[in-house]
């Protein structure tokens, strides 16, 4: 019997764990345990994904909630250690680059429990991003490094990670996208919002560098307000951003800028698929738009997902609202960026991970 324990905590973890859990079920010798740290806890940031992705209810919910980086990470360390000591897993899988990822990996490394990092090797080179610190630390202590793209292999080799630990498996987020696209095509959200395919733009913003500073956020919201004159914009607002918009008392003047609550996975995939373009600072959305072939305008100076730029539909614009407006005009004139799908973003990454773990 191999006991695999998965740790998830934040919205982008849920679509990454789903295919790995599913594909490990094919092996009768594998027993699985699912731990939710509780980093995200709103129904529309957590529960709705468990339902739509068909995830089992977590065996443990650590209910850590929100806090400063140190508080949140410390809570996970303290609450996860007894679970590991009791469950004695053979391997623990952590996903992505959130605080739950690094905290769970650290607990296991100290207890000498092997750790697998799904989405290893990605680097933005920007250590002001909390996620970059989480990626660097997790990859140094993980035993299995499952990379979504070959830049990840190169980054890990440069940092001295042994080649025998690195496995290029492809992108688990795309596994979920491929599996659930038919269900997303049934989503009523375009009709409900009276949106025509290609008749609107989609927006998500939640990076601290874009939303935590009131002046930066105000400038970005002003640019969106202006762009929405040309084309309706749908903006499902992340809770971090909602708090910041409220605190800075930022208003909007344009009815075509639709600020709505975060939407479910199927609705969000439907919105991405039908969008003329997506404006974002999300990691996962850069990948999904590349696979869907929808132009993606990323409001960041760098990306840990360079294949979305070199091969996909992604463009990095920094926080330059002038560049943003010019890029939107270009797309509306029919000159949006086209791309190709990166290698192994083929719906089978979870199967490759499962096969490596049971070998
Ligand atoms: C976290 C991740 C980020 C990821 C994002 C995905 C870290 C360091 N950051 O950022 O990498 O891209 O999730 O969405 O792990 N909040 C709620 N309800 C919730 C969750 C959060 O209201 O269910 C609010 C709280 O005010 C909280 C704030 O959002 O303080 C930020 O939440 P947190 O998990 O600390 O970071 P995110 O910005 O969500
Ligand atoms: N997503 C969603 N509803 C939303 C916004 C995003 O289901 O309202 C999905 C999106 O399709 C992708 C994931 O959430 O699968 C990306 O997560 P997020 O942007 O929160 O985190 P990041 O990828 O930046 O870490």
């Amino acid at each position: 019997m191999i006991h695999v324990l998965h740790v998830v905590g934040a919205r982008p973890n849920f679509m990454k764990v789903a295919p790995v859990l599913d594909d490990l079920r094919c092996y009768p010798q594998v027993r699985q345990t699912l731990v939710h740290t509780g980093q995200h806890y709103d129904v529309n940031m957590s529960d709705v994904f468990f339902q739509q992705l068909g995830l089992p209810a977590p065996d443990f919910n650590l209910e850590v909630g929100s806090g400063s980086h140190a508080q949140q990470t410390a809570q996970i360390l303290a609450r996860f250690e007894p679970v590991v000591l009791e469950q004695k897993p053979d391997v623990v899988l952590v996903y992505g680059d959130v605080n739950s990822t690094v905290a769970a990996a650290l607990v296991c490394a100290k207890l000498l429990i092997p750790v697998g990092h799904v989405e290893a090797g990605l680097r933005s080179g920007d250590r002001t991003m909390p996620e970059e610190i989480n990626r660097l630390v997790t990859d140094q202590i993980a035993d299995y490094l499952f990379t979504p793209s070959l830049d990840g292999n190169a980054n890990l080799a440069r940092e001295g990670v042994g080649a025998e630990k690195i496995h290029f498996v492809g992108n688990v987020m795309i596994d979920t996208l491929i599996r659930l696209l038919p269900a997303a095509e049934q989503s009523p959200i375009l009709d409900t919002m009276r949106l025509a395919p290609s008749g609107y733009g989609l927006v998500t913003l939640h990076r601290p560098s874009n939303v935590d500073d009131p002046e930066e956020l105000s400038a970005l919201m002003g640019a969106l307000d202006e762009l929405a004159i040309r084309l309706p914009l749908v903006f499902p607002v992340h809770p971090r951003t909602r708090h910041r918009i409220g605190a800075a008392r930022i208003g909007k003047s344009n009815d075509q800028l639709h600020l709505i609550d975060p939407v479910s996975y199927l609705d969000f995939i439907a919105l991405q698929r039908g969008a003329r373009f997506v404006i974002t600072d999300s990691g996962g959305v850069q990948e999904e738009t590349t696979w869907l072939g929808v132009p993606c305008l990323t409001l960041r100076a760098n990306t840990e997902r360079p294949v979305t730029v070199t091969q996909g539909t992604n463009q990095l614009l920094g926080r330059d609202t002038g560049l943003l407006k010019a890029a939107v005009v270009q797309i509306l004139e029919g000159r949006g960026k086209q791309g190709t799908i990166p290698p192994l973003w083929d719906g089978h990454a979870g199967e490759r991970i499962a096969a490596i773990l049971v070998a």
Side-chain angles (χ1 to χ4, degrees):
M1 206 61 170
I2 307 171
H3 183 188
V4 180
L5 187 150
H6 308 260
V7 183
V8 292
R11 178 168 69 187
N13 294 157
F14 307 135
M15 41 300 271
K16 294 172 193 170
V17 75
V20 184
L21 261 163
D22 259 0
D23 292 324
L24 279 169
R25 280 202 194 101
C26 301
Y27 296 90
Q29 70 272 40
V30 173
R31 179 182 148 222
Q32 304 193 68
T33 300
L34 181 60
V35 175
H36 189 331
T37 64
Q39 176 173 346
H40 285 175
Y41 43 85
D42 288 349
V43 169
N44 62 13
M45 294 297 287
S46 178
D47 299 22
V48 70
F49 297 97
F50 276 74
Q51 290 157 18
Q52 292 196 338
L53 299 166
L55 290 172
D59 298 287
F60 298 87
N61 191 325
L62 308 180
E63 294 181 352
V64 299
S66 303
S68 69
H69 285 280
Q71 284 165 345
Q72 194 175 56
T73 308
Q75 290 286 353
I76 300 168
L77 292 175
R79 295 185 191 187
F80 183 52
E81 185 182 55
V83 174
V84 179
L85 288 170
E86 182 207 298
Q87 290 291 310
K88 301 185 175 55
D90 296 302
V91 59
V92 170
L93 294 184
V94 297
Y95 295 82
D97 55 16
V98 301
N99 285 346
S100 301
T101 313
V102 68
L106 193 52
V107 167
C108 297
K110 296 289 180 74
L111 294 175
L112 307 183
I113 307 276
V115 175
H117 183 201
V118 177
E119 199 185 90
L122 298 187
R123 297 289 180 269
S124 65
D126 177 359
R127 291 197 183 194
T128 67
M129 285 183 79
E131 295 81 4
E132 184 76 352
I133 306 299
N134 296 345
R135 294 180 199 115
L136 283 159
V137 174
T138 305
D139 285 342
Q140 277 301 316
I141 56 185
D143 302 278
Y144 296 88
L145 295 106
F146 298 113
T147 62
S149 46
L150 284 169
D151 54 289
N153 294 52
N155 292 332
L156 295 171
R158 199 181 53 245
E159 290 168 13
V161 176
E164 71 288 353
K165 294 187 193 172
I166 307 173
H167 307 275
F168 173 41
V169 293
N171 193 326
V172 286
M173 202 152 202
I174 302 302
D175 287 11
T176 296
L177 176 57
I178 292 173
R179 178 167 70 93
L180 289 183
L181 194 55
E185 283 165 0
Q186 305 302 315
S187 157
I189 190 149
L190 268 71
D191 289 342
T192 314
M193 293 195 69
R194 297 172 194 276
L195 299 165
S198 297
Y200 64 95
L202 178 66
V203 182
T204 76
L205 294 174
H206 68 273
R207 293 283 155 222
S209 57
N210 281 331
V211 307
D212 282 7
D213 179 78
E215 277 182 27
E216 293 291 358
L217 180 59
S218 186
L220 289 177
M221 293 300 291
L224 295 177
D225 219 26
E226 219 182 298
L227 281 174
I229 297 169
R230 292 174 173 271
L231 197 73
L233 293 180
V234 181
F235 183 173
V237 184
H238 187 284
R240 170 188 286 277
T241 313
R242 184 180 68 233
H243 293 306
R244 299 295 175 169
I245 289 175
R249 295 169 187 270
I250 297 170
K252 65 174 186 94
S253 55
N254 191 334
D255 286 347
Q256 292 218 101
L257 175 57
H258 301 280
L259 303 184
I260 59 174
D261 284 338
V263 298
S264 71
Y265 182 74
L266 296 178
D267 286 350
F268 196 76
I269 296 300
L271 284 170
Q272 282 190 84
R273 183 172 165 272
R276 188 81 174 264
F277 56 82
V278 179
I279 297 172
T280 195
D281 57 14
S282 158
V285 173
Q286 294 174 61
E287 297 179 340
E288 289 166 346
T289 45
T290 272
W291 195 88
L292 291 165
V294 173
C296 181
L297 306 174
T298 297
L299 295 181
R300 289 177 46 188
N302 48 57
T303 179
E304 62 289 334
R305 292 162 162 91
V307 290
T308 62
V309 176
T310 54
Q311 297 176 44
T313 57
N314 192 16
Q315 274 176 272
L316 292 183
L317 303 177
R319 273 197 300 271
D320 189 326
T321 53
L323 281 181
L324 174 64
K325 288 174 200 164
V328 167
V329 168
Q330 205 171 35
I331 292 166
L332 295 181
E333 287 171 353
R335 292 182 288 125
K337 187 173 177 201
Q338 299 191 334
T340 56
I341 296 176
L344 302 195
W345 291 24
D346 59 358
H348 301 289
E351 288 162 38
R352 295 185 192 102
I353 292 171
I356 291 163
L357 288 174
V358 299

